[in-house]
Amino acid sequence: GQTGDHPYQFKLTGQYTLPYYDIAISANALTQSGIAYTRQVTGIPLTAGGTAQVNVEPLASHRLDPRSQIDLAVQKTVRLGSNRALDARMDIYNLTNSNVVWDVRTGSGTLTFLQGGDPNGARNVLPQFGSPASVLAPRIIRFNVAYRF
């Protein structure tokens, strides 16, 4: 199982508007410790019927690497008279293109999957415990234009 705890977290957010040309720059920086996880076995029969998932190591025996992410935005405002403006904005998420794993599988045993999803393809076997289940999304750049009136 995963405890989902993050004993260390740091977040810094800020914005600065340049004194000329109505340009604003903003950034978010986040760093947090990775989640703790424990090896588990599933399908353990219970005397009252059914099955259970059981930890086979002390709780939180493993911890993922820390996650760090920086997001940046630049915005330019063009004023168009009384109460009207045109805003052009560029957002960059995951500026450093980090690909840190932030979730893993905790079961014992292996997973079998088909090469390229082809039903006639080769069968590949992957150890399940500690294999990535979620990875931080890649760098994304978004452009946006808004008209205020």
Side-chain angles (χ1 to χ4, degrees):
Q2 300 165 351
T3 62
D5 71 331
H6 299 282
Y8 302 105
Q9 294 189 44
F10 175 77
K11 185 172 185 178
L12 180 64
T13 301
Q15 179 174 331
Y16 179 72
T17 302
L18 297 172
Y20 46 87
Y21 302 119
D22 287 327
I23 296 176
I25 300 171
S26 57
N28 292 311
L30 168 70
T31 296
Q32 62 188 134
S33 54
I35 62 169
Y37 61 101
T38 305
R39 184 184 298 267
Q40 297 179 324
V41 174
T42 58
I44 304 298
L46 300 173
T47 55
T51 60
Q53 188 171 17
V54 177
N55 291 339
V56 292
E57 296 178 320
L59 193 60
S61 295
H62 306 272
R63 184 170 295 279
L64 291 177
D65 291 336
R67 171 188 167 194
S68 295
Q69 182 176 344
I70 299 172
D71 301 329
L72 182 69
V74 178
Q75 179 173 319
K76 165 73 173 143
T77 301
V78 177
R79 307 215 182 272
L80 303 171
S82 63
N83 298 328
R84 287 183 284 173
L86 188 65
D87 294 326
R89 182 178 174 104
M90 179 180 69
D91 296 300
I92 304 172
Y93 302 100
N94 192 6
L95 181 68
T96 61
N97 204 26
S98 169
N99 64 350
V100 68
V101 173
W102 58 271
D103 192 15
V104 293
R105 293 175 181 86
T106 58
S108 294
T110 58
L111 297 171
T112 302
F113 58 96
L114 298 172
Q115 184 72 36
D118 179 3
N120 300 316
R123 294 191 176 273
N124 295 305
V125 177
L126 174 73
Q128 183 170 322
F129 180 71
S131 65
S134 296
V135 178
L136 188 60
R139 180 185 306 121
I140 297 171
I141 300 175
R142 181 180 75 170
F143 297 95
N144 183 45
V145 177
Y147 176 67
R148 291 186 286 153
F149 55 96

